[in-house]
Amino acid sequence: MWIGPTPRVNITNPEDLKDIFTKHEDFPKPALNPLVKLLATGLANYEGDKWAKHRRIVNPAFHSEKLKRMLPSFYQSCSEMIEEWESLVSKDSSCELDVWPYLQNVTADVISRTSFGSSYKEGREIFQLLKVQTELAIKTIQSVYIPGRRFLPTKMNKRMKGVDKKIRELLMGIINKREEAIKAGKATKDDLLGLLLDSNFKEIKEHGNKRKVGMSTQDVLEECKLFYFAGQETTSVLLVWTMVLLSENQNWQDRAREEVLQVFGGNKPDFDGLNHLKVVTMILLEALRLYPPVVMLTRMIHKKTQFVEFSLPAGVEISLPTVLVHHDKELWCDDATQFKPERFSDGVSKATKNKLIYFPFGGGARICIGQNFAMMEAKLALALILQHFTFELSPSYAHAPSRKLTLQPQFGAHIILHKL
Ligand code: HEM
């Protein structure tokens, strides 16, 4: 297909997909639209040495033992949502609700708390501004493209610049405060910002205070913005489709609840228990297969490249259409479009027969850095929901997955909640 003047080819052969993920240096990401750049750059959008350095510094913040320390923040945000739902349900012991905005809100809340800990309130304000900025950017991207228009002092451009300035000021304030606390030996390392600054500090100490070593405050700021963009909507999308699928498949909802009650009873879910939830994990993996939040990935070819069945010249953009590969009957058998979590009962590699046909989090060295974070958050939210409610689809629910930045339910997710 043609995307304006650029030819784009879909790649769906598993061997080609494997190659593209493995040789990530030969298949860089396409240049970002300048407006998207304004929203967030960071790790997801760098290449070469800069990417490698940032990945090395950011990685430790997502290690399993760090996630364990963030669990109380996850819990606080999720249990607030449950309390809200309980108060809505309490009158008649059931109520109809569009759960989509609540799930978007809870994942935004989790990111604010886990990113900034004690500065959670300022974090929330920043992320609300980022949401406004995203909506403005989408409007601009969807209007007719006129080269250079972003430099003109239009009302929209002025508004976007103003919001950007405010975001930067607020973020700088939080980062500077934290850097001072570190110097005074009073800083926490239980949130992403603390972990990032700590890891950065170690990198600088190890490699000396040379130029190009470590990240600048500006770099840290970009990574914080990226956590919001990469981690908020993707996770709320995973949760919303999981709730829809479990409403349509009551037998799986029952099985998941049985497991949750067996592991935790009515108690607060803990880290080790969450890691042992097998049925819940299978359900989440299957939801990610049927409704991958990121429906497709894109890469560029800068030299003539031989694929299994054809070769492509330099300058072609390739797309890795996750959603098409995940639904392909030749790759997944005739039941490819059906919800069957049992296909993951022995893990991903058995389900895929070790072929690269499942990549909701991407693959290779550039695989999603937050995948364990997202799975932990989704398991906790789902465990709490299952402990407190049974749920079914409302007759007013209209099934319409639609691609915004991610694969969202166009008309929301109207669900009837019953108190357990
Ligand atoms: C269900 C939730 C999520 C899904 C489906 C998801 C999906 C993805 C995918 C497909 C990629 C690869 C993009 C590409 O190769 O072009 C990616 C990369 C990334 N994700 Fe996620 N993500 C999720 C949650 C998160 C969370 C919670 C965070 C952080 C808090 C995060 C941070 C990142 C970052 C920083 C990258 C770039 C990694 C790199 O290029 O080295 N993601 N994600």
Side-chain angles (χ1 to χ4, degrees):
M1 67 199 99
W2 288 88
I3 308 297
T6 313
R8 183 195 279 172
V9 175
N10 269 348
I11 304 281
T12 55
N13 182 302
E15 283 174 48
D16 289 335
L17 291 169
K18 192 174 168 194
D19 245 24
I20 295 165
F21 282 130
T22 317
K23 301 177 191 157
H24 66 95
E25 277 159 0
D26 291 343
F27 299 98
K29 298 189 182 186
L32 273 189
N33 177 313
L35 278 169
V36 180
K37 236 187 216 167
L38 185 69
L39 293 176
T41 55
L43 179 59
N45 303 302
Y46 300 142
E47 297 291 340
D49 291 347
K50 183 153 184 170
W51 168 78
K53 179 175 79 177
H54 279 236
R55 181 92 195 192
R56 192 171 62 238
I57 297 174
V58 180
N59 253 338
F62 288 91
H63 281 169
S64 171
E65 80 275 15
K66 309 285 171 45
L67 288 182
K68 192 172 179 174
R69 285 200 256 150
M70 289 181 216
L71 198 65
S73 299
F74 287 167
Y75 180 77
Q76 197 168 344
S77 303
C78 294
S79 55
E80 278 172 15
M81 180 185 75
I82 298 290
E83 275 166 31
E84 234 181 307
W85 287 4
E86 278 192 310
S87 69
L88 292 168
V89 170
S90 66
K91 269 196 227 133
D92 314 309
S93 79
S94 73
C95 90
E96 182 183 321
L97 203 63
D98 179 3
V99 294
W100 173 230
Y102 288 91
L103 298 173
Q104 283 177 294
N105 192 47
V106 78
T107 53
D109 213 69
V110 165
I111 280 286
S112 310
R113 263 186 230 281
T114 49
S115 296
F116 301 126
S118 58
S119 306
Y120 154 77
K121 285 227 171 73
E122 293 113 291
R124 209 44 236 205
E125 196 185 339
I126 293 167
F127 292 139
Q128 263 147 12
L129 285 168
L130 283 171
K131 196 170 173 195
V132 172
Q133 193 76 315
T134 313
E135 278 155 16
L136 294 174
I138 290 177
K139 256 194 209 151
T140 316
I141 290 166
Q142 282 169 347
S143 61
V144 179
Y145 178 70
I146 303 170
R149 186 169 63 180
R150 73 196 155 93
F151 299 111
L152 299 177
T154 60
K155 207 169 149 197
M156 179 73 102
N157 286 349
K158 277 194 204 155
R159 179 131 192 250
M160 286 187 76
K161 281 213 179 94
V163 176
D164 186 57
K165 190 164 168 259
K166 182 86 190 137
I167 293 171
R168 283 175 190 280
E169 278 168 8
L170 284 166
L171 266 170
M172 250 342 168
I174 298 183
I175 297 170
N176 287 338
K177 211 160 80 184
R178 190 68 69 88
E179 279 177 337
E180 273 161 33
I182 291 179
K183 277 183 205 146
K186 287 192 212 145
T188 165
K189 290 178 196 160
D190 285 351
D191 57 28
L192 289 173
L193 176 61
L195 291 163
L196 210 61
L197 291 174
D198 186 51
S199 171
N200 195 32
F201 177 69
K202 280 187 186 139
E203 163 105 358
I204 295 173
K205 211 168 141 194
E206 238 168 67
H207 294 90
N209 219 345
K210 295 178 220 144
R211 261 187 75 218
K212 292 193 180 167
V213 166
M215 297 195 293
S216 65
T217 308
Q218 196 60 35
D219 286 339
V220 172
L221 186 148
E222 285 301 332
E223 295 303 338
C224 291
K225 273 168 59 178
L226 178 64
F227 292 154
Y228 170 81
F229 280 106
Q232 188 264 325
E233 203 157 281
T234 43
T235 316
S236 56
V237 163
L238 166 60
L239 281 169
V240 82
W241 293 120
T242 305
M243 281 197 80
V244 167
L245 286 164
L246 289 184
S247 300
E248 289 171 331
N249 296 274
Q250 290 289 330
N251 55 334
W252 281 100
Q253 188 184 137
D254 294 344
R255 279 185 67 178
R257 183 173 300 100
E258 243 166 61
E259 180 180 60
V260 166
L261 294 179
Q262 199 187 357
V263 176
F264 304 116
N267 301 328
K268 201 167 155 175
D270 60 9
F271 190 75
D272 292 337
L274 290 170
N275 275 329
H276 282 100
L277 293 178
K278 186 173 173 197
V279 177
V280 169
T281 306
M282 282 155 54
I283 290 169
L284 290 170
L285 292 173
E286 181 70 340
L288 285 167
R289 187 183 69 82
L290 288 171
Y291 299 100
V294 183
V295 290
M296 126 188 141
L297 311 176
T298 47
R299 298 290 190 264
M300 282 309 290
I301 301 181
H302 291 307
K303 56 176 193 262
K304 187 178 173 203
T305 305
Q306 182 65 47
F307 291 94
V308 172
E309 287 177 26
F310 47 78
S311 88
L312 292 173
V316 172
E317 185 174 307
I318 48 173
S319 73
L320 289 47
T322 317
V323 73
L324 295 187
V325 176
H326 284 189
H327 286 233
D328 190 329
K329 291 190 175 168
E330 276 179 28
L331 301 172
W332 286 92
C333 300
D334 286 346
D335 61 6
T337 53
Q338 291 168 28
F339 178 68
K340 287 194 159 179
E342 63 266 39
R343 62 179 103 239
F344 289 106
S345 58
D346 293 315
V348 173
S349 33
K350 273 271 166 59
T352 58
K353 300 188 185 84
N354 283 318
K355 284 190 287 189
L356 217 152
I357 56 173
Y358 181 74
F359 47 97
F361 293 106
R366 297 205 73 148
I367 199 163
C368 176
I369 207 166
Q371 62 171 321
N372 295 332
F373 180 112
M375 288 301 273
M376 184 57 60
E377 180 180 351
K379 280 185 207 172
L380 176 65
L382 201 58
L384 287 171
I385 293 170
L386 290 163
Q387 274 178 326
H388 290 85
F389 308 98
T390 60
F391 48 92
E392 60 185 320
L393 284 182
S394 151
S396 61
Y397 171 74
H399 191 65
S402 96
R403 189 188 161 202
K404 295 267 176 59
L405 285 178
T406 51
L407 189 63
Q408 304 188 3
Q410 189 177 354
F411 306 115
H414 295 263
I415 279 178
I416 301 172
L417 294 172
H418 302 275
K419 207 168 178 175
L420 259 181

